Amino acid sequence: MTATTPTTAGPRGIAPALAAFLVLGCLLSWYPWVLHPVGRPGNGGPNPLGLLVGALIAAAVDGGWRGPVGALRSMVRLRAPARVRLVALINTVGAGYVLKMVAPPTSRASGRSMAACGPSSASLRPH
């Protein structure tokens, strides 16, 4: 089975896979919301990977082992020559390096520059 050709015909053929995706996608995405009020740490928001895991399980329900493999292959299909992929990777890493060197370090908590977070020169003078 590939991700583009269904293995079953008719609306009743996809019903088990669709039902598995909907139920698992909801449960796997919103479990932190259920765990947060009972004292589990975290933000309590939805887990974005829950839909991916739900889709892979639903693909397995529909197509056996080949279902998730076909779904993953369709997500990461690369149609560019190796040289183009290498240039894109080098550009991405290079841009990240340049931004790290140019931008001042910031405090993640406040978003302010680290220079503004440190002690002022007035507080460093002896009294």
Side-chain angles (χ1 to χ4, degrees):
M1 178 191 131
T2 63
T4 57
T5 59
T7 57
T8 56
R12 293 194 188 267
I14 63 169
L18 181 61
F21 170 70
L22 292 175
V23 170
L24 289 171
C26 182
L27 290 176
L28 294 172
S29 293
W30 287 97
Y31 76 89
W33 180 74
V34 175
L35 294 177
H36 187 69
V38 296
R40 295 289 298 170
N43 65 359
N47 182 358
L49 293 177
L51 291 176
L52 174 66
V53 174
L56 293 176
I57 294 172
V61 167
D62 185 42
W65 179 248
R66 291 182 178 167
V69 171
L72 288 173
R73 281 188 181 160
S74 70
M75 288 180 206
V76 295
R77 184 174 299 143
L78 300 173
R79 296 181 183 205
R83 187 176 354 160
V84 173
R85 292 185 297 216
L86 183 63
V87 168
L89 179 65
I90 290 171
N91 283 341
T92 304
V93 171
Y97 181 75
V98 168
L99 287 175
K100 184 176 180 180
M101 292 296 139
V102 172
T106 58
S107 168
R108 289 187 188 266
S110 66
R112 299 184 323 190
S113 171
M114 291 297 281
C117 294
S120 66
S121 61
S123 66
L124 295 176
R125 284 185 265 161
H127 294 121

